Amino acid sequence: MGRSPCCDKNGLKKGPWTTEEDHKLIQYIQIHGPGNWRTLPKNAGLQRCGKSCRLRWTNYLRPDIKRGRFSFEEEETIIQLHSVLGNKWSAIAARLPGRTDNEIKNYWNTHIRKRLLRSGIDPVTHSPRLDLLDLSSLLNSTQFNLSSLLGLQALINPEIFRIATTLLASQNESPELLLQKLQENQLLNTQLQNLEGSELLLQKLQENQLLNAPMQNQLQNFQPNNQFQNQIPEIPTFSTPSNVPCSSSQPMQLGHVESYLMNDQMLPPQNYGYCASDTSDNSTFQSLNNSSNQNISLDSVLSTPLSSTEDEKESYCSNLMKFEIPASLNFDDFM
DNA sequence: AAATGTGGCAACCGCCTGCTA
DNA sequence: TTAGCAGGCGGTTGCCACATT
């Protein structure tokens, strides 16, 4: 029955590899190829488990392995892929030539993850950590016009706002996951049908391919009230690859991401959704002061150009939450 | 200079999937 | 058909080097 055991665990060496062992492994594989890891150690004269040999070869000795620091582009790609694939390190490594899954995993855990946490980004969901938002200080801010907020409260349908928030937070997730979140929030099954202005929202969801066919049928059965149609905030679309000018605001839809992955293409370095450059001149929220641009485009929030210098890289995303709502903001125009 | 803390990374562990006898 | 193994994968550990006190 079955195969014979791959190796006798007794008497096999563990721990760090010596240069002599490395030399034996390299020499054997150069002549015979990796082949059968079970028989390799014995044939190569190594007192190691085949598993250990495979790990040593794939993670360290393989000639095509790229050594040294990760470039900013590589880092961007890792974050981008992680937002889509999660902890599928091998899948991420497959799209980063010369990097191993172990190397990427280590780099994520020791660098990227910590930086995202410092920046108030949840490294699992890739969304801002709302628990870190100090709402009381925001409300007490002298620059925050409370009367405008009170006026806003009368205009915003809270359910629409909740959906927009969910969509924004889930912009990098798969449609299935997003659908699950929406359903968990009971946004679609029980409440959306009675939602004021939800016709436009439905349209936006469809445009972004966020609904599957059964959901679309379900949603098309209700009679929306158009009273608040013009008050729905812009539903975010997906940020564009960096080779597309940000100003064009071409939506990067989930289907595009899937297409990239399905075609086994490497995702292009992309303007990472929740990043704001250190130079706040281009900040979307700052741009609210510009009378010619009073309509907030969430697209532009998501496509703020990335910093590229080493110093800027270190403070990556650090200004994410440091926006101010100008007193002069006209919420009527905003909405 | 020694002790302690921290970060980085190679390697191991254990689980899962698919294959084979 | 099924038990059992190899290979693959993600999570975790432990060692080493460097920084800080």
Side-chain angles (χ1 to χ4, degrees):
Chain A
M1 292 293 270
R3 295 176 174 173
S4 57
C6 76
C7 56
D8 179 11
K9 302 259 180 193
N10 297 327
L12 292 179
K13 194 180 171 192
K14 287 166 66 175
W17 280 64
T18 64
T19 51
E20 188 188 355
E21 287 177 312
D22 283 346
H23 187 68
K24 280 183 180 177
L25 184 57
I26 293 170
Q27 205 168 35
Y28 181 86
I29 291 177
Q30 278 177 346
I31 296 170
H32 302 95
N36 189 342
W37 292 110
R38 181 181 56 153
T39 57
L40 187 148
K42 188 179 177 183
N43 294 337
L46 289 163
Q47 297 296 310
R48 293 273 182 178
C49 174
K51 215 169 178 177
S52 178
C53 294
R54 182 178 58 83
L55 224 56
R56 182 66 178 171
W57 174 256
T58 54
N59 287 338
Y60 198 81
L61 298 176
R62 232 174 53 201
D64 58 329
I65 286 179
K66 193 193 291 181
R67 295 265 152 215
R69 282 178 67 94
F70 281 75
S71 69
F72 191 33
E73 286 72 25
E74 285 177 310
E75 189 171 318
E76 258 192 281
T77 305
I78 292 171
I79 297 172
Q80 196 59 246
L81 288 168
H82 187 274
S83 70
V84 178
L85 299 168
N87 290 1
K88 304 287 182 192
W89 304 118
S90 58
I92 295 172
R95 291 168 177 81
L96 278 170
R99 301 294 188 182
T100 69
D101 53 357
N102 205 39
E103 197 178 11
I104 293 169
K105 178 174 62 183
N106 283 334
Y107 190 71
W108 176 270
N109 287 328
T110 56
H111 293 89
I112 301 175
R113 188 174 170 276
K114 288 175 185 173
R115 187 182 302 147
L116 292 179
L117 285 171
R118 273 203 305 270
S119 305
I121 304 294
D122 187 331
V124 178
T125 64
H126 290 250
S127 304
R129 295 177 61 190
L130 294 177
D131 57 312
L132 296 180
L133 273 176
D134 187 354
L135 294 177
S136 60
S137 65
L138 177 65
L139 290 171
N140 290 332
S141 166
T142 55
Q143 297 196 49
F144 190 79
N145 189 334
L146 190 57
S147 61
S148 296
L149 176 65
L150 293 173
L152 182 66
Q153 190 179 14
L155 294 174
I156 296 180
N157 183 313
E159 295 306 328
I160 295 176
F161 193 74
R162 276 179 58 197
I163 292 176
T165 307
T166 302
L167 289 170
L168 179 60
S170 307
Q171 52 141 344
N172 283 322
E173 294 173 353
S174 68
E176 291 77 13
L177 198 56
L178 177 57
L179 173 61
Q180 184 187 339
K181 279 193 172 181
L182 289 167
Q183 287 174 334
E184 283 171 0
N185 286 326
Q186 299 180 327
L187 292 173
L188 292 174
N189 290 339
T190 59
Q191 296 179 13
L192 188 57
Q193 294 187 12
N194 299 320
L195 214 53
E196 291 160 325
S198 49
E199 188 179 40
L200 183 59
L201 177 63
L202 171 62
Q203 183 189 333
K204 289 292 182 181
L205 289 166
Q206 288 170 334
E207 284 173 5
N208 286 288
Q209 300 176 359
L210 294 174
L211 297 179
N212 57 20
M215 287 175 62
Q216 290 192 24
N217 291 334
Q218 184 185 359
L219 289 170
Q220 281 163 356
N221 289 332
F222 74 90
Q223 298 297 320
N225 179 341
N226 291 330
Q227 183 183 353
F228 293 87
Q229 187 164 346
N230 295 326
Q231 297 169 3
I232 300 175
E234 184 81 11
I235 301 298
T237 51
F238 298 91
S239 53
T240 59
S242 61
N243 55 354
V244 178
C246 296
S247 57
S248 70
S249 294
Q250 290 284 340
M252 175 77 170
Q253 299 181 342
L254 283 174
H256 296 158
V257 178
E258 286 172 350
S259 166
Y260 269 109
L261 299 176
M262 292 294 286
N263 295 329
D264 202 29
Q265 295 173 329
M266 195 168 76
L267 277 172
Q270 189 168 330
N271 295 324
Y272 194 43
Y274 40 69
C275 292
S277 69
D278 283 355
T279 53
S280 56
D281 295 342
N282 295 327
S283 158
T284 300
F285 292 97
Q286 289 271 340
S287 72
L288 291 172
N289 285 318
N290 183 344
S291 59
S292 66
N293 186 22
Q294 289 187 333
N295 291 323
I296 289 182
S297 163
L298 289 172
D299 260 0
S300 59
V301 176
L302 300 175
S303 58
T304 305
L306 285 168
S307 316
S308 57
T309 68
E310 200 61 28
D311 287 344
E312 289 169 341
K313 179 179 170 182
E314 186 56 34
S315 56
Y316 192 55
C317 301
S318 61
N319 284 349
L320 176 69
M321 301 301 172
K322 296 178 184 172
F323 63 86
E324 292 171 347
I325 300 176
S328 59
L329 173 62
N330 184 333
F331 277 105
D332 289 339
D333 289 345
F334 163 41
M335 294 307 294

